[in-house]
Amino acid sequence: MTSLTLPLPLVSPLATHVIELSGFSPVLNTRDLHTIFEPWNNADNTVYRIKWLNDTTVYILFTDAGLAKMAYLSLLS
């Protein structure tokens, strides 16, 4: 009996913990992002981290893929 193993996609919508935001005004700062993502945070502020790539691109790194997906879908609506 043989088994067929398929590789996982490089980016899976079910497993991502990262939201990339880009193309916004450079006047947006980290405090503004914390305000936007406050509904998905906890009292210890340990649900996500913010990592800036440059003045107009930022990565939001969530500890839980489910929360990242909920935040992403909320940002889209």
Side-chain angles (χ1 to χ4, degrees):
M1 180 179 249
T2 62
S3 67
L4 178 63
T5 304
L6 299 175
L8 292 174
L10 293 177
V11 178
S12 170
L14 301 175
T16 187
H17 292 265
V18 180
I19 297 175
E20 177 184 350
L21 302 173
S22 63
F24 49 81
S25 172
V27 297
L28 188 76
N29 61 38
T30 303
R31 187 179 309 121
D32 298 326
L33 292 172
H34 281 296
T35 301
I36 292 168
F37 287 96
E38 184 177 1
W40 299 281
N41 209 356
N42 61 12
D44 297 334
N45 295 323
T46 58
V47 174
Y48 66 85
R49 291 180 300 157
I50 296 173
K51 298 291 182 179
W52 288 90
L53 178 64
N54 55 41
D55 287 345
T56 61
T57 302
V58 66
Y59 297 107
I60 311 298
L61 308 155
F62 281 85
T63 57
D64 179 72
L67 284 175
K69 189 172 184 178
M70 287 190 318
Y72 174 74
L73 292 174
S74 178
L75 289 172
L76 289 178
S77 62

